[in-house]
Every structure is written in C-alpha cells, then in structure tokens.
Amino acid sequence: EKTSSKEQKSLTKEKFTLRFLKSFDIFANLRSLVSPRKSGAFDIFDGIRTISMMWVVFGHVYNYQIVIGYSNIHDVFAPNGLIASFTGQVIIGGEFAVDTFFFLSGFLVTYSLAVRLEKLSFDLVLKVQNWVPMFYVHRIIRITPTYMFALFFYWKIGPLLGSGPFWYLMNDENCNDYWWTNLLNINNLYPFQGGVAKQCFSVSWYLANDFQFYVISPIFIIPFVYKKKIGMLFCTIILLLSIAWTIIIVKEDNLSTFLGDGEPARKFQEMFYVAPHLRIPPYLIGMLSAMIWIYKKAHSPNFKVHKNIALILSGFAFFLLGVTCYGSYQGYQKQFCSGSDTTDCGSYPNVSQSTRIAYTSLSRPAWALGIAIITLLSANSQLFYPVNYFLCHEYWTIGARLSFGAYLVHPTVLCVLILTTVTPFHYSVYEISTDFISCLFLTFVFATILSLLVEKPMMNLEKKFLHSSS
C-alpha cells in the first residue's frame, strides 16, 4: 500500500509537470493563435480592437517624431501644416482609440460576469467572498506577467538596443523610482502631478485605469443581476455624475483638450488625461451597453428595430464618431500658444469658451456612445451591411488576439526605430507612412513572440490549474 501510495504521488507529480510544460508549448500556442474563431454576436470587436491598435501606433509614430523634431516644421504645425488639415485630425484623434479600449473592457467584463452570476441564486451572488477573490486573481494572472515582462524589457533591455544623439530619451528614469506603482496598478494616481510624463512606461496609464475600473465593476454588476432595471439606472446615474464632474472641473480650472492651447492644454494633460474618475465614462458606457444587450436577450430576444431606424442609428453613430474625431479642426488653425498667453493662438480665436468646454468634456463619452450603437446594431444583425461585413471579417481575428501584446511592445519598437535616427525628420507623407508600416509590422511580430512565450502560457496555466481547482 505504501508503494502504491508513492507511485500515485509520483504519477500525480509527473502529470502536474507535464501539464505545466504543455502550457509553454510554442507550436500548440501558435495553433491556438491562428485557429478560426468561434463566430458570435460580437465578432465586430475583432475589427474594432485591431483598427484601434493600429490607430494607437500611427498616433505614437507622429508623437515620437515630434520629440526628435522636423526640419520642415512649418509643414507639420499650424497654421499651414499637417495639424491644420483634416488629415491631421486623424492623428490627433488617435486618443479616442484608448476610449474604445475602455468601452470594450467595460462591455466584456459586464457581459461575461453577469451571464455567469445569473446562473446562481442571488443569495450566492451576495456571498462575494466566494467569487470576488478569484475574479481579481483571474485579472492579475491574465495581465500582470505579460505586462511586467514587457515593462522590464523596455526598461532594462531596451536601452541596450540602440544608440545615437537622441537615444538618451530611451532611458526611462521614472522606472527607477516608480516601477512598483505599475506592479500595483496605481501609476495613474502616484505620482499624480505631471501626468504621463512622470510615470514609468508611459503607455501603462491605460492599464492602471482599466484595472481600477475592473476592481469596482462588481459594484455595478451585482445590482444588475438582482434587478436589471435598477442596475442600468445605477450605472447611468454614475455615468452622468462623472460627466457632470468633468464639465465642472474643465470649466473651473480652464482646461483644454486642444494641444495648441498652451498652459490650459498642459494642465489638462496633467490633471485629466490619466485621472480614473474622469476617464471612466467610456467604460461605464461599455458596461451599460452590455446590460442593455443582456436585458434585450432576456425579454425580447427576437426584437429588431425597423430597418429605416437601424439605418438612421448607424448614420447617427458615425456622425458621433466623425464629430468627435474632426470636431477639433477649427481649434488647430492658429499657431500653438506659448505658456499662459492665449492671445490669437491655439483654439481661442476660432472656438468659443462654451464649445471648448463641451468638446473637452463630452468628446470621449460621445465617441464611446457611437461605438456602443455600432456594437448593439451589429450584435442584432442590423448594422449597415458593408460596415458590418468589414468589421466582422475573420481577417481581424489574429490582430485582435495580439492587440494586448502589441500595446505593450510598441513603445520599445518605436524607440528603436525612431530614437536611433541621427538627424531631425523631414516630414512627408512617404516618410511617416513608411515609419508607420515598419513600426506596425514589427509591433505585431514582437507581439506574437510575447504572446507565444508569456501571454498564452499564463492563460493556459490559469485554465489548467486555477479553473480546475475552483
């Protein structure tokens, strides 16, 4: 019996080791990466997520080039350069890609958790000690190892990958003092003054916000599971309060989202851009959209709006996206302001104070609302067909699966490709296009490597051990 017991323990240990090692099987992980997706109501998320990631890279290529500088700067900045054109608004509007990510996160967290909790009695749902810890552990395992790997690679290995007169910009000294704030997902809160500029691994402000929104999401989802209308009302109230708070702060502190507005724009970047209580509206709109969809499926699963109304809603959604992306056009027709002097510069000559406050406060919720309408129409098979076909096509699937890794590795790729230059850039459509294509290609190449070596193995380990044990 003792021998049998030892053999059993040995077999168990071997089984555990084998399952552990299989999680790191590169070929199996690659097959999983390129495998066909399971088609569903939200296939559109693949297209939205991939395009948003491409938009982030495009905007950051321009931002990194600005750090180096342009030899023909008048062809770039207002009043006669790229920024003053409609094309330039696409670069500036790249900030909305992050709000798209917030929307997607809010939607998916709410949908996945609410569907699971609805299978339980509400008494069990209220016993949060039975499921909330694992809810958080899942998030930590899903995100943190990949995130920390990319951060430390950027911080410790990145500076060894290049040289040149501008390469000193690659040394992120903030990481020496504040890398632990990234580990705790509080880097958007401490050190707060200075915004992104004072943080380690600057793009990670988004991950901190997203994690904090995830932590508080059960506060909204539990009431929804109890009574759907109560949950939706509660989420709507908090959304409106957040928007109202934003309007008050923007007005009282004279903040501006227009990059050329000097001191008001600088204050906006420091006080607003990374603040969770002011960035949460797109996330809440995502949560509310998921609640609406679940409510619709429960009470009127076959309901469809009239095709003319669906067409109008599609048009309205794209109108919102267009207004938010191109609505800043008039604010970039004058040269940029310097400091607090806003006389005949920035957005001030062409944009009224009330319009500036409205755009600064409402553009992000309006963008998320447009994405919400598109999402719900697509899920209901009523989005304008050419758009739905384009965004739902399977060719977006792999890009969507790699989007998280792409977000993490693209700063390192940009640094290596752009900060190693030895002279200022000469702006041309050809140059910025070739830099964008190069950065995009290498970003997804290294995102694939990160996925196969770190992200996918961590997902496998969680499924094999934590899910089975829970």
Side-chain angles (χ1 to χ4, degrees):
E1 290 181 1
K2 290 183 179 180
T3 303
S4 177
S5 177
K6 288 181 180 180
E7 290 177 351
Q8 186 66 34
K9 289 182 179 179
S10 177
L11 288 172
T12 301
K13 186 176 181 179
E14 289 179 6
K15 184 178 179 180
F16 176 89
T17 304
L18 184 61
R19 293 175 69 188
F20 179 85
L21 293 176
K22 279 187 174 181
S23 297
F24 292 86
D25 186 338
I26 293 178
F27 295 105
N29 292 339
L30 181 60
R31 287 193 296 271
S32 175
L33 175 65
V34 300
S35 64
R37 70 183 179 198
K38 295 180 180 178
S39 186
F42 308 115
D43 291 343
I44 195 171
F45 284 168
D46 286 351
I48 291 175
R49 184 180 283 113
T50 305
I51 292 172
S52 296
M53 188 60 240
M54 294 167 65
W55 200 4
V56 168
V57 174
F58 183 58
H60 283 170
V61 166
Y62 172 77
N63 289 345
Y64 276 61
Q65 287 187 350
I66 282 183
V67 171
I68 302 301
Y70 291 98
S71 60
N72 55 337
I73 194 169
H74 295 295
D75 292 332
V76 179
F77 289 101
N80 301 313
L82 172 68
I83 295 302
S85 67
F86 274 100
T87 303
Q89 303 312 299
V90 176
I91 297 175
I92 295 170
E95 293 182 350
F96 294 117
V98 179
D99 296 295
T100 302
F101 290 145
F102 281 139
F103 169 86
L104 295 176
S105 294
F107 189 102
L108 293 172
V109 167
T110 303
Y111 185 80
S112 60
L113 181 59
V115 168
R116 291 202 303 270
L117 293 181
E118 283 185 332
K119 297 176 182 179
L120 307 175
S121 68
F122 193 68
D123 289 338
L124 291 177
V125 171
L126 289 178
K127 295 181 179 179
V128 293
Q129 70 275 12
N130 292 337
W131 60 270
V132 166
M134 289 305 300
F135 177 70
Y136 294 147
V137 167
H138 161 74
R139 175 72 175 194
I140 292 170
I141 294 177
R142 171 70 181 85
I143 299 295
T144 304
T146 311
Y147 174 22
M148 288 296 107
F149 183 92
L151 185 153
F152 276 88
F153 188 92
Y154 167 84
W155 174 24
K156 295 297 185 181
I157 306 299
L160 306 178
L161 301 179
S163 61
F166 303 106
W167 189 245
Y168 72 94
L169 296 168
M170 177 62 188
N171 294 319
D172 196 334
E173 296 181 356
N174 294 328
C175 289
N176 295 329
D177 297 322
Y178 300 119
W179 67 268
W180 58 271
T181 65
N182 297 72
L183 180 63
L184 298 178
N185 286 291
I186 60 170
N187 50 293
N188 62 326
L189 301 175
Y190 181 84
F192 183 74
Q193 291 300 321
V196 174
K198 293 294 184 180
Q199 293 183 29
C200 166
F201 198 43
S202 59
V203 298
S204 63
W205 70 268
Y206 158 74
L207 297 172
N209 275 278
D210 194 62
F211 180 82
Q212 290 154 19
F213 300 157
Y214 183 91
V215 168
I216 66 173
S217 63
I219 297 174
F220 300 93
I221 297 172
I222 292 174
F224 175 74
V225 173
Y226 174 65
K227 290 288 184 181
K228 290 182 171 55
K229 290 183 178 180
I230 292 177
M232 289 188 287
L233 178 62
F234 177 58
C235 191
T236 302
I237 291 172
I238 300 301
L239 169 63
L240 294 176
L241 287 175
S242 178
I243 293 174
W245 193 357
T246 302
I247 293 172
I248 292 171
I249 290 176
V250 168
K251 183 178 180 179
E252 290 187 350
D253 293 325
N254 187 31
L255 305 180
S256 176
T257 189
F258 294 91
L259 299 177
D261 282 354
E263 184 66 14
R266 186 192 66 80
K267 288 167 59 180
F268 171 83
Q269 293 294 322
E270 290 188 0
M271 298 175 60
F272 179 96
Y273 196 76
V274 302
H277 53 292
L278 302 179
R279 292 305 299 252
I280 199 172
Y283 195 93
L284 292 175
I285 291 172
M287 297 187 76
L288 188 58
S289 300
M291 293 175 184
I292 291 171
W293 180 252
I294 294 172
Y295 182 86
K296 183 262 181 189
K297 293 295 289 183
H299 292 83
S300 303
N302 299 318
F303 172 78
K304 292 185 182 294
V305 299
H306 191 277
K307 61 180 181 180
N308 291 336
I309 296 178
L311 190 61
I312 292 171
L313 287 172
S314 297
F316 179 64
F318 285 102
F319 170 77
L320 286 174
L321 300 183
V323 166
T324 51
C325 183
Y326 293 99
S328 60
Y329 173 75
Q330 287 297 328
Y332 289 95
Q333 300 308 303
K334 295 287 186 178
Q335 64 182 4
F336 280 22
C337 298
S338 176
S340 58
D341 182 10
T342 56
T343 305
D344 196 32
C345 62
S347 69
Y348 291 90
N350 299 328
V351 180
S352 66
Q353 178 70 358
S354 58
T355 302
R356 189 179 303 105
I357 292 171
Y359 186 80
T360 301
S361 306
L362 302 177
S363 56
R364 286 172 172 79
W367 177 270
L369 179 59
I371 298 294
I373 295 171
I374 290 172
T375 296
L376 295 176
L377 286 175
S378 176
N380 213 37
S381 302
Q382 291 193 277
L383 183 62
F384 185 52
Y385 178 76
V387 174
N388 194 65
Y389 177 82
F390 175 71
L391 292 175
C392 292
H393 200 282
E394 286 191 356
Y395 48 52
W396 300 115
T397 303
I398 296 177
R401 291 171 178 170
L402 292 173
S403 60
F404 175 58
Y407 188 83
L408 291 174
V409 302
H410 86 274
T412 305
V413 172
L414 285 167
C415 286
V416 172
L417 288 184
I418 293 179
L419 298 185
T420 51
T421 188
V422 295
T423 60
F425 289 95
H426 184 87
Y427 168 74
S428 67
V429 173
Y430 174 79
E431 180 159 336
I432 197 170
S433 298
T434 53
D435 280 352
F436 166 62
I437 294 171
S438 300
C439 288
L440 187 67
F441 173 75
L442 289 176
T443 289
F444 278 97
V445 167
F446 288 107
T448 301
I449 296 172
L450 182 65
S451 175
L452 298 179
L453 297 182
V454 184
E455 183 182 12
K456 188 62 178 176
M458 293 300 103
M459 294 170 65
N460 293 337
L461 289 172
E462 186 203 11
K463 290 178 181 178
K464 291 178 179 179
F465 297 107
L466 290 183
H467 281 195
S468 60
S469 63
S470 60

